[in-house]
Amino acid sequence: MGGDAVDIWQHLASRKIMLLKSMKLAVQELEDPYAVFSYAQEIGFNSGLLTQDILDKMVAAYNSANNKQATVEQEITPVATTAPTEVIANNSADELGRTIAPIAQHEPFDVRFRNNLPDWSVDDFSENASDAPQDIKVHYDITGKSVTEGKMSDINSCFSDRLEKIRKMIIRNSNLPKPPQEIARLQIEYSRYQGYGNTAVAIGLVNEPRYTKNGHLIWGIEDETGEMTCLLTKRQGDDRDRAQEMILESGLMPDDVLGVSGSFSQTGDIFYVSDLYFPLKPKHQKASSEHGVSVAFISDIHVGSKTFLEAQWHKMVRWFHTDPLAKTIKYLILSGDCVDGVGIYPGQDKELAIPDLYGQYTEFARLLELLPEWVECVMLPGNHDAVRPAEPQPTFEKDIQQDYNSTTFVGNPCDFSLNGVRLLSYHGKSIDDFVAGLRTVTYSDPVEAMRQMLRRRHLAPQWGGKTPLSPEPEDGLVINEVPDIFVTGHVHGHACIDFKGTTLICSSTWQDQTSYQRMLGFQPKPCILTIVNLKSHATTAIPFA
Ligand SMILES: [Fe+2]
Ligand SMILES: [Fe+2]
C-alpha cells in the first residue's frame, strides 16, 4: 500500500468518510490512496459511507487523469484470485490492521512499542487475538424478554423473586448459627428468644434504614409473613465487632436482602441484632481461559458531546494498530453512555456537537471502524443511550445496530462469558443511589459501590431512588453468579482492583470535564484503557489523555 494505513484511516475520518471493514482491503491495495481520494469531489462524493461503486468511480477518475487503463478491480483481482495466501502474508507483514485469516505463527513482540509502561510482561499477555476463536456466551440479557406491565402484582413478584434467590445464597454462603425462621412466627414466640444464648435468625428485605441520635442503626426487616424492627447498637471497647462496625459506618440500603441473628427486647417490639449475614462467599475462585487473549474496557464515550475527546480517541486507534499488547486484545467492552444522547438533561442541546441522535450513533460506528479488525466490541446501553431508562435495559434498536460491524449488542446489565471467563457488565446508574444511601461510598471512590453491590449480590437494590427500575417478575438485577470480572462505568472515574477473587473495573470515560461536573468540582479520569488477560488475569491500564 502506498501510505501508512493508520494515516489513511485518519485522513478519511477527518474528511468524514466512513469505511466499512469490507472496504478496507480495497483501499489498502490502492497504489496511491491519497491521490485516488483527491478525486472524491470530482465525482460528487464529499462525505459519508464509502461503497465499492464510489471507490471505482474515484479510481476511474484518477486513472483517466493519469492515463491508466486498469480499474481498481484489475489492480486487486489478480493478486486476490491467484495467490490469496500471499495477500494475507503481505498484509500481516505490514501489521496495520488487516488479518483475513488466522496467521500460522506468532510474531515476535516488538518491545519498542511498549508505551514505556513496565507493568506488563509478555508472559502475562501471551496470545494474539487473531489466534483464538471468538467465544461469547450470554447468560443473562433482558433484550426481548421484558414481560412486566408495571402492575402492583409485577412489583410484588419482583421483590418475592429477589428475596427467594438471595435468601438461598445467604443460607448457602454465610455461616448462619441456625436455620432462619419466618418473621411472623418469631414475633409470636418472641419470649423464647430473649437473653443471652437464645438466638433467633431471620432473613428479609430492609425497610427505612436510619440512624438514631446516638449513632445506632435502626431498620425494618420484612419477609412474606411479617415485619420486625431491628436495632444495631454502637458498642464500646471489647464488645466491638469489625463486621458490625463496618455496617454501622456504611449504613444499609433500602430493599437490601440480608440475614440477622439476635434476640428480642422484653416487650418483643425490638430485635437486638448481634450479627448480620450477606450472600457473598468469602472468596471466589476465578475461571481462566485456555487462550491468553485479552479484554479491554472503556465506557461513557459520549460521542456527540462537545467534550468528547476525539484527538485522544485517534491516539488510542494509533496505539491499537502499533503496540504489541494491543494485538492480544480480542474484545472491547463498551459499558454504556456510548453517545451523549438528546434531551437527557435541561440545556443539553448547547453542549452538543452533533445534535441528531442517529448522527451520534453513526459517528460512533465510524470511530469504532478505525480499530483493528481483530477487536470485537461488546456494546451495552447506559442512561444517555436511546433505549428505555428502566433497568434492566434492553439493547439498541436494529436501526442503530445496522451502522456497526464487529459489534455484539447486549442489554444492561449483561452476564456473559468470554472464552470461558465470566463477566458482569453494568453501566452503573445505581452508583448514584449507593452514594446517597451509604456513608462509605463517594464519587471519588466509586469502586466501593461495586464492592457493596457484590456483597449484596444485587446491582440496584433501592426501589424509588435515582435508578428507574423495571419490575420484571424475575428480578434481573440480582447477581446470580459471582463474576470473574465485574465492570461498571457511569461515574467517569477509573479503578481496577481485586475484591474477594473478582476483578472490579470502573471503566474510564472518553469525555472531558463537563460544565456541570466543573460546577460540582468533580474531576473525571478520562481516556484510560483497562486491559485484563483472560488466561493470566493480569491487568494493566494505558493512559491516552
Ligand atoms: Fe456517562
Ligand atoms: Fe451514565
Side-chain angles (χ1 to χ4, degrees):
M1 175 175 167
D4 180 293
V6 178
D7 287 345
I8 184 73
W9 306 150
Q10 291 186 352
H11 170 75
L12 296 180
S14 68
R15 293 177 55 179
K16 301 224 179 297
I17 294 176
M18 194 175 153
L19 197 58
L20 296 179
K21 278 189 177 144
S22 54
M23 288 299 297
K24 281 187 178 174
L25 179 62
V27 173
Q28 243 178 314
E29 289 294 327
L30 295 173
E31 191 179 284
D32 186 349
Y34 294 98
V36 170
F37 279 97
S38 69
Y39 289 87
Q41 224 166 1
E42 190 171 301
I43 65 150
F45 177 64
N46 295 319
S47 64
L49 186 67
L50 180 73
T51 61
Q52 187 65 54
D53 188 42
I54 293 169
L55 184 62
D56 290 350
K57 284 181 184 157
M58 281 191 284
V59 171
Y62 165 77
N63 285 338
S64 71
N66 292 283
N67 289 327
K68 284 199 173 186
Q69 297 306 311
T71 66
V72 69
E73 287 92 342
Q74 283 169 323
E75 285 177 336
I76 294 171
T77 310
V79 185
T81 52
T82 56
T85 48
E86 211 175 304
V87 175
I88 294 161
N90 286 343
N91 283 323
S92 63
D94 274 357
E95 264 326 309
L96 287 169
R98 296 304 308 168
T99 305
I100 300 166
I103 301 163
Q105 288 194 333
H106 284 277
E107 295 161 80
F109 284 105
D110 187 340
V111 290
R112 284 176 306 155
F113 292 112
R114 277 220 204 161
N115 238 15
N116 295 324
L117 290 171
D119 64 339
W120 71 276
S121 78
V122 172
D123 292 344
D124 286 338
F125 296 84
S126 55
E127 190 169 342
N128 280 354
S130 44
D131 294 340
Q134 185 175 304
D135 179 9
I136 305 176
K137 272 193 196 72
V138 174
H139 307 290
Y140 174 79
D141 176 352
I142 191 68
T143 307
K145 300 189 187 90
S146 178
V147 291
T148 186
E149 292 174 36
K151 290 180 181 163
M152 201 58 207
S153 56
D154 293 320
I155 299 172
N156 288 339
S157 324
C158 184
F159 277 98
S160 300
D161 182 64
R162 177 190 303 188
L163 179 55
E164 202 175 311
K165 280 184 178 148
I166 300 181
R167 177 194 280 135
K168 282 183 186 152
M169 295 177 199
I170 293 172
I171 293 170
R172 203 168 48 232
N173 298 335
S174 67
N175 258 336
L176 291 174
K178 52 165 52 173
Q181 285 178 278
E182 289 179 345
I183 289 173
R185 186 169 184 83
L186 288 178
Q187 284 176 314
I188 292 166
E189 299 177 355
Y190 75 90
S191 56
R192 288 178 56 192
Y193 304 105
Q194 289 179 327
Y196 183 76
N198 300 319
T199 303
V201 175
I203 295 174
L205 287 147
V206 169
N207 278 336
E208 293 183 58
R210 60 204 180 275
Y211 287 93
T212 66
K213 271 187 274 178
N214 302 326
H216 307 317
L217 189 59
I218 190 164
W219 70 95
I221 191 161
E222 181 183 2
D223 68 5
E224 300 89 343
T225 65
E227 181 175 359
M228 62 186 188
T229 302
C230 295
L231 184 73
L232 181 65
T233 55
K234 230 177 155 179
R235 303 194 192 157
Q236 308 292 326
D238 292 349
D239 239 11
R240 288 157 69 127
D241 175 285
R242 215 181 140 260
Q244 290 169 11
E245 289 286 312
M246 269 170 51
I247 300 299
L248 274 169
E249 193 190 339
S250 65
L252 291 168
M253 293 286 286
D255 309 316
D256 272 343
V257 176
L258 63 119
V260 289
S261 65
S263 54
F264 282 96
S265 62
Q266 277 299 314
T267 52
D269 50 1
I270 300 278
F271 187 77
Y272 294 117
V273 175
S274 53
D275 272 310
L276 293 104
Y277 303 90
F278 285 88
L280 186 66
K281 269 192 206 161
K283 186 80 181 166
H284 169 69
Q285 201 60 46
K286 276 191 189 87
S288 281
S289 171
E290 60 179 293
H291 294 284
V293 296
S294 309
V295 52
F297 301 89
I298 56 170
S299 178
D300 297 81
I301 301 99
H302 288 270
V303 172
S305 148
K306 284 178 184 168
T307 41
F308 164 61
L309 294 162
E310 182 158 6
Q312 287 81 345
W313 182 272
H314 292 298
K315 195 172 167 188
M316 178 177 72
V317 168
R318 177 169 280 276
W319 177 88
F320 259 103
H321 283 278
T322 52
D323 195 290
L325 177 58
K327 290 199 179 71
T328 74
I329 297 175
K330 189 156 189 71
Y331 307 101
L332 175 64
I333 313 300
L334 307 157
S335 296
D337 284 3
C338 300
V339 303
D340 206 50
V342 293
I344 306 293
Y345 56 89
Q348 188 191 16
D349 48 335
K350 292 187 208 76
E351 316 244 337
L352 291 177
I354 305 172
D356 172 64
L357 184 62
Y358 286 94
Q360 294 177 4
Y361 281 105
T362 304
E363 174 65 2
F364 187 43
R366 183 185 74 76
L367 292 165
L368 288 181
E369 279 293 322
L370 301 174
L371 295 172
E373 59 135 3
W374 62 77
V375 179
E376 173 74 14
C377 297
V378 177
M379 181 166 153
L380 58 138
N383 55 308
H384 278 248
D385 284 296
V387 304
R388 78 170 186 200
E391 298 177 1
Q393 295 176 290
T395 199
F396 306 87
E397 305 264 344
K398 287 277 176 280
D399 48 0
I400 288 174
Q401 293 186 21
Q402 67 186 4
D403 281 345
Y404 292 74
N405 291 290
S406 306
T407 301
T408 300
F409 293 91
V410 295
N412 171 46
C414 185
D415 169 10
F416 60 107
S417 290
L418 298 176
N419 296 84
V421 173
R422 192 117 178 188
L423 281 86
L424 175 62
S425 188
Y426 171 55
H427 177 60
K429 174 72 181 132
S430 73
I431 296 174
D432 295 338
D433 286 310
F434 279 92
V435 169
L438 298 184
R439 302 201 291 197
T440 51
V441 183
T442 60
Y443 284 113
S444 58
D445 181 23
V447 82
E448 172 61 11
M450 298 176 71
R451 286 192 202 99
Q452 299 286 0
M453 288 177 204
L454 261 192
R455 183 171 286 138
R456 289 158 167 75
R457 302 282 295 266
H458 203 281
L459 294 169
Q462 186 173 359
W463 178 266
K466 296 169 195 287
T467 313
L469 299 177
S470 174
E472 302 295 334
E474 281 192 35
D475 186 345
L477 298 165
V478 170
I479 302 175
N480 288 311
E481 291 288 328
V482 175
D484 301 315
I485 301 171
F486 175 29
V487 55
T488 63
H490 184 61
V491 287
H492 298 206
H494 178 260
C496 178
I497 60 153
D498 185 89
F499 175 66
K500 294 181 188 276
T502 295
T503 303
L504 306 185
I505 296 165
C506 191
S507 292
S508 173
T509 176
W510 230 264
Q511 187 181 34
D512 205 356
Q513 190 184 44
T514 62
S515 49
Y516 179 67
Q517 289 167 346
R518 197 172 310 120
M519 193 179 78
L520 297 178
F522 176 76
Q523 190 60 49
K525 293 182 185 162
C527 306
I528 302 169
L529 184 73
T530 313
I531 306 165
V532 180
N533 190 269
L534 293 175
K535 187 177 188 178
S536 65
H537 283 282
T539 64
T540 188
I542 313 286
F544 294 99

